[in-house]
Amino acid sequence: MPHAVPPLRPGHHLQLLEGSREFFPALIAAIDAARSEVLLETYIFDFTGSGAEVAYALERAGRRGVLVRLIVDGVGTPELPPFWRDRFEQAPVQWVVYSPLGYFGLLWPGQWRRLHRKLCVVDGAAGFCGGINILDDYHDPNHGPLDSPRLDFSLRVEGPLVQEMRATIVRQWSRIAAVGQLRRAKWSGAFELLRTAAGRTAAPPVPPDAVHANVRAALLLRDNLRRRAVIERAYLRAIGRAHREIFIANAYFVPGGRMRRALVSAARRGVRVCLLLQGRYEYFMQYYASRPVFGALLRAGVEIHEYAPSFLHAKVAVIDGRWATVGSSNLDPLSLLLAREANVVVEDRGFAARLRERLVAAMQHEGQRMDAAAYERRPPLQRAKERLALIVMRALLAIQGKKYL
């Protein structure tokens, strides 16, 4: 029986962090204050620009005797640069690659099941969860320098969820070690479970006006076993209960039938539904496969705003000014059917108001609202690209034994 959406638990302190310009300083401060362990899990670790500052912080922690363990994904980060492999070995910083690509690459069944989570736990006291990779806001590995920063969010968390985050990274490290994928196994205890973080200290302080205290929150972990639908189910429940407004910002938005019907139903019962989506071309399949679903949404009165200044990588939502989520999961089949994802769900008016304010500003000042009439007049070549993208996406899912209707 698949897991139900976990209940929200009180007693959390949350700080919303926008982009690497806010996330990296908070992360580095926590790493520099670490006394026993730093556990970091990310899809992409890119050492360009400010990404290198995070790497240096990990190195500093390792050199002062902190247990530092890093998990990266085999597609997002297939290898570490030789310079950093040497520095991590000397520190030491232990690192592993989740599911490295073999000879057939992504054509091999199962290789689309990626580790897309972005989690970090420091001394068991402070945790981070969101959508931001270790990647400079002004750099894209495929497109080069960016004129404006990409839009994405993360959370700094204190409270009961931190131990859940830590246990998640512990399990993942142990599974990788068990199948012999450990890349740096020379240190004692490398194939053992991570030791309990003895001698934990309080997390480093953050500005009090940026912290939302005593917040109810839950950690949603999507995997390919019992938690296959937990993130989608949480979205559907919140959308179904919405009375006033739904704001969703999502990078790769290719919703399945249940999600489309839920959004259309909400709009038709008078709920204001606003989507902030990727407006710049990044990847062929994700960009064009999303377009065919816009028609039904626009006809139902859903507002679609395309983010224009840079790439949109946010995976967040705010509903009725109370329910919110920040995490790594897109609303597309790669996230909802295949990848390991992590989202935090929050019920708190203060936190929701802060996130809503940023999304509204992005829609009003950084987005371009889609015109329903112009959408219907899009040229035949664009429609052909959309059909091709959907065919490719469905074929790739079929290889994985999945359907997404």
Side-chain angles (χ1 to χ4, degrees), residues 294-343:
F294 292 168
L297 297 175
L298 290 168
R299 287 191 293 273
V302 173
E303 298 178 27
I304 299 177
H305 302 258
E306 295 187 292
Y307 188 74
S310 187
F311 292 119
L312 171 75
H313 275 192
K315 283 79 67 174
V316 302
V318 179
I319 296 179
D320 282 351
R322 180 181 179 87
W323 184 97
T325 186
V326 177
S328 66
S329 182
N330 292 295
L331 298 178
D332 78 338
L334 299 183
S335 280
L336 296 179
L337 295 180
L338 297 172
R340 293 180 181 271
E341 305 283 4
N343 275 43

Side-chain angles (χ1 to χ4, degrees), residues 222-302:
R222 195 222 159 264
D223 58 30
N224 290 290
L225 297 172
R226 299 185 65 190
R227 299 182 178 92
R228 293 188 299 272
V230 65
I231 293 177
E232 184 179 22
R233 189 176 294 120
Y235 265 99
L236 291 172
R237 176 188 293 180
I239 292 169
R241 295 175 175 177
H243 294 290
R244 295 186 295 105
E245 61 181 23
I246 298 169
F247 289 90
I248 296 175
N250 213 255
Y252 308 128
F253 183 78
V254 191
R258 288 189 300 176
M259 185 69 68
R260 295 197 303 270
R261 289 190 293 271
L263 293 171
V264 167
S265 176
R268 287 178 174 168
R269 68 174 183 267
V271 176
R272 183 188 179 195
V273 182
C274 300
L275 307 178
L276 180 63
L277 308 179
Q278 184 80 269
R280 292 180 60 173
Y281 178 90
E282 187 175 13
Y283 301 112
F284 175 82
M285 185 173 67
Q286 288 92 334
Y287 183 82
Y288 283 107
S290 65
R291 266 52 193 167
V293 308
F294 292 168
L297 297 175
L298 290 168
R299 287 191 293 273
V302 173

Side-chain angles (χ1 to χ4, degrees), residues 144-168:
L146 303 176
D147 294 330
S148 299
R150 68 176 57 79
L151 180 63
D152 208 343
F153 297 91
S154 186
L155 287 177
R156 184 186 187 278
V157 182
E158 295 178 32
L161 293 191
V162 176
Q163 287 304 307
E164 292 184 41
M165 295 178 188
R166 182 180 182 275
T168 298

Side-chain angles (χ1 to χ4, degrees), residues 92-113:
V93 171
Q94 301 179 30
W95 60 277
V96 298
V97 177
Y98 173 87
S99 190
L101 292 180
Y103 181 79
F104 293 101
L106 292 173
L107 296 178
W108 189 259
Q111 286 288 35
W112 284 85
R113 296 176 179 176

